[in-house]
Amino acid sequence: MRKQIKHILLVAITLVATISFSQDRKNDTINTGVIDVVKPYTPTISDAFKVKEVPLLDDETTETKKEVKYNIFSFPVASTFTPAKGKAAGVEKRAPAKLFDNYATLGVGTYTTILGEVYLNHAISRTESVGGYVSHHSSQGGIEGIQFDDGFSDSKINVNYSSRLRDLSWNVEGGFQQQMYNWYGVPDSQITLAQTNNIDVGHSFYNAHFGGDISFEDTYINSGSFFFRRFGDNQGSGENRFIVKAKVDVPINDVEISTDFKFDYIGGTFDRNYFTTDELRYGNFFIGVTPTYELKQDDLTVNLGVSAFYLNDKETGDNKFYIYPNVSATYRLVNDVLIAYGGIKGDLIQNSYYDFATENPFVSPTLFIMPTDQLYNAYVGLKGKLSSNMSYNISGRYISDRNRALYKTNIVKNVTSENDYDHGNSFGLVYDNVDTFGVAGEINVDVNRNFKLGLKAEYFTYDTDDEAEAWNLPDIKGSLFLDYQINEHWFAGANLFYIGERKDQLEFEGALLPEDLVTNVILDSYFDANAHLGYHINDQISVFAKANNIANKAYQKWQNFPVQSIQFLAGATYKFDF
C-alpha cells in the first residue's frame, strides 16, 4: 500500500511539472531539435557458456561390477489348508424396548389401601392424538391412638386432545377431581368433648377444570394458554379461577424484547368465618406484563427486565400498582465445570383456596384469602459438572414477602363449639411480613442409564414482623432419591425425606388461667424413607412392591395429625396398545 502511494505521488508530480512546463513554453527561447530515426534497433541474443567437462569417478567399487545370476529352485509341497472367506465382525445390540401407548396399574396394601390408574392414548393421525387417564388412591385408615376416622380418598379423571401442525401446535384438556379427608387431629384434652358432640370429621373437596395452550413457530407470538377451575367443598364453599397467559417477542429497533402477559382472576365465598356466621367473600384480578431483554457476550448471559402488575380488589374496590425487578445472569467461569449465576426477581403471588387445601387438606372452610406481595427474591449460586456423570448446584437466597400466608392451628372453641372443625382439629391462615434466608446444595449422579442418584439439602431462617414465629415452616429440608435398573427384568428405587422442626400454637377459648390460653408447640423433625422393587415379566406385564415410612414412625406433619406408620403395597402394571 505504501509503494502504491509513492507511485501515485510520483505520477502526480510529473503531471504537475509537465503542465507547468507547457504553460511556460511561450517564454522559452531555446530552440528544439528534431531527431530522425534511420534504422530501428535490433538486439541479438548470444549463446550461453556451458560447462562441457564431465567429472570422472575414480572409485574401485564403482569401477568393478560383479555379474549376479539368479536361479529359482521350485518343488511341490502338499498342503490341505484352505483359507476361509473373510466375514465382518458384528456388534451386539440390545433389542429396542417396545413402547406402548397405554397402561393400567392396580395395587393393594396395608391400611386397606387401594391404588389404581389407567392411562390411554390414541393417535388419530400423524398430527392428532387424543388421550385421558383415570386414577384412584384411597385408604381406610387405622392409625394407632386415633379416636376418629382417619381415612382418605383421591380420585381423578382427565381427557385431552392435541394437534401438531407445521407452524403451530395446540392442546386442550379437561378434568374432574374429588378428594375426601378427615379432621381427625383432635387434641387429647378435647377428645371427650368432641365425642360428646358427636362430630363428623369427614369433609371433601371437588374441582373441575378446563384449559388449553398453543405455540407458534417463526412468529412474534410464541405461545398462549388459558385455564379455568371451579373448586369447592361439601361445606358450602366455592371458588372460581381464570388465568390467561401469552408470550410475545416485541421488535424495537432491530432488537426483540421477550414479553410475558398474564391475566389472573379469582373469586370465591365461604358460608361463614371461623367466629361468626357472616359470609366471607374474596375476589380480585390482576394484569401483569414482564418484558425481558437478553444480552449475550462470550460466556456471559444477562437477562434484563421488569415486572409490572395492576391489581383490582373487587371486595374493597382498591386499585394498586406493583413494580418488581426481573434480572438474572449466568457466567461460565470454566466451561461446564463452574458456572456462576445470580439474579433478583419479584412477583405478585395469587393465593387460592385450592392451593391451600392441596398443601394442607385439614384447613377449615373459613379462610381469608389475599395475594402475597413478594418484593424480591435475590439469589446467587454456583453450578456445574464435577465429571461427565456428576453435577452439582450450590445456592443462597434472600426472599422478602409481604402478606405471606402461614398455617396456624385454629383456636379450640371448647365453650362455643358448633362445627366439626372447632376442636383444634383444623387450620386457619395468618398473614405476616416474612423475610427468608436460605442456602441449598444439590448433587446429581447419573452413572449410566441404569443408575441415577440425587441428593439435596436446604437450610432456612425466618424473620417475621407481627407473629412470634413463622408458623409451620421448617428450618431444614433434605431429600435423596435413587433409581436403579438392576438388569433386564429387575428394577428398584428409593426416596428419603427429612423435614426439620416446625412451630405452632395451641390456643384455647375460655381457659381458666391466662397461662393456659396459649401454648407454643414444637413439632419434631421427621425422617420418611420409602423403597420399591419391581420385576418385568415381559414387555407388557410388570409386578412391584412398595414400602413407605420404613422407619415406622407416626410422625406429625401437622400438629395433632400423625401419619400412618410403615405401609406395604403390592401390585401389577399392564401395558398395551389398541
Side-chain angles (χ1 to χ4, degrees), residues 286-469:
F286 68 72
I287 302 173
V289 56
T290 305
T292 305
Y293 172 68
E294 184 179 69
L295 175 64
K296 287 186 176 181
Q297 184 175 2
D298 297 331
D299 294 327
L300 176 65
T301 302
V302 179
N303 292 299
L304 302 174
V306 66
S307 297
F309 293 89
Y310 165 74
L311 174 67
N312 178 273
D313 193 314
K314 290 173 49 184
E315 299 303 320
T316 63
D318 293 339
N319 301 301
K320 294 183 180 179
F321 288 92
Y322 299 88
I323 303 293
Y324 303 104
N326 185 26
V327 179
S328 63
T330 60
Y331 183 70
R332 295 179 178 272
L333 297 173
V334 185
N335 294 328
D336 291 336
V337 177
L338 185 61
I339 302 174
Y341 66 93
I344 179 170
K345 299 182 179 182
D347 196 8
L348 185 62
I349 302 173
Q350 185 77 283
N351 295 314
S352 68
Y353 184 28
Y354 170 81
D355 293 333
F356 292 135
T358 301
E359 184 177 10
N360 183 352
F362 309 112
V363 292
S364 63
T366 59
L367 305 179
F368 179 70
I369 295 177
M370 60 187 299
T372 296
D373 176 17
Q374 188 172 93
L375 296 180
Y376 53 85
N377 179 357
Y379 59 93
V380 293
L382 294 172
K383 62 181 179 179
K385 290 185 176 181
L386 298 175
S387 64
S388 60
N389 53 21
M390 180 180 293
S391 62
Y392 69 93
N393 188 358
I394 303 173
S395 63
R397 65 181 61 245
Y398 186 82
I399 306 173
S400 181
D401 291 320
R402 296 297 174 261
N403 298 322
R404 179 171 180 176
L406 303 172
Y407 298 105
K408 187 178 179 182
T409 301
N410 281 322
I411 295 176
V412 178
K413 296 166 65 174
N414 51 7
V415 177
T416 61
S417 61
E418 52 184 334
N419 298 295
D420 299 323
Y421 48 81
D422 287 344
H423 301 271
N425 58 334
S426 66
F427 293 84
L429 296 175
V430 293
Y431 291 87
D432 197 4
N433 299 334
V434 181
D435 294 334
T436 305
F437 172 76
V439 293
E442 181 178 1
I443 294 179
N444 291 293
V445 180
D446 191 355
V447 177
N448 51 47
R449 63 183 179 181
N450 295 327
F451 182 84
K452 295 180 180 180
L453 174 69
L455 177 64
K456 184 177 182 179
E458 298 175 280
Y459 172 76
F460 304 96
T461 61
Y462 307 97
D463 182 33
T464 58
D465 284 355
D466 300 325
E467 298 295 325
E469 300 289 347

Side-chain angles (χ1 to χ4, degrees), residues 141-191:
I143 301 174
E144 184 178 356
I146 298 300
Q147 305 299 320
F148 303 93
D149 187 4
D150 57 276
F152 69 88
S153 173
D154 185 0
S155 301
K156 301 177 183 177
I157 183 171
N158 182 278
V159 293
N160 64 79
Y161 170 83
S162 62
S163 175
R164 297 172 298 278
L165 304 177
R166 186 182 66 176
D167 297 327
L168 64 90
S169 61
W170 59 279
N171 173 74
V172 292
E173 60 94 17
F176 179 82
Q177 181 181 22
Q178 195 271 341
Q179 299 170 294
M180 189 278 294
Y181 295 96
N182 290 280
W183 290 303
Y184 63 86
V186 179
D188 293 339
S189 61
Q190 303 299 309
I191 292 179

Side-chain angles (χ1 to χ4, degrees), residues 478-496:
S479 62
L480 180 146
F481 78 88
L482 169 68
D483 190 10
Y484 182 37
Q485 184 71 40
I486 302 172
N487 55 37
E488 183 180 356
H489 295 283
W490 289 97
F491 61 93
N495 53 72
L496 299 86

Side-chain angles (χ1 to χ4, degrees), residues 120-136:
L120 304 174
N121 186 71
H122 175 66
I124 301 174
S125 65
R126 296 181 60 184
T127 60
E128 296 176 290
S129 65
V130 62
Y133 69 86
V134 178
S135 67
H136 175 79

Side-chain angles (χ1 to χ4, degrees), residues 502-515:
R502 292 136 294 135
K503 297 178 181 179
D504 202 344
Q505 278 189 341
L506 188 60
E507 186 174 354
F508 295 90
E509 178 189 56
L512 296 178
L513 299 175
E515 57 269 22

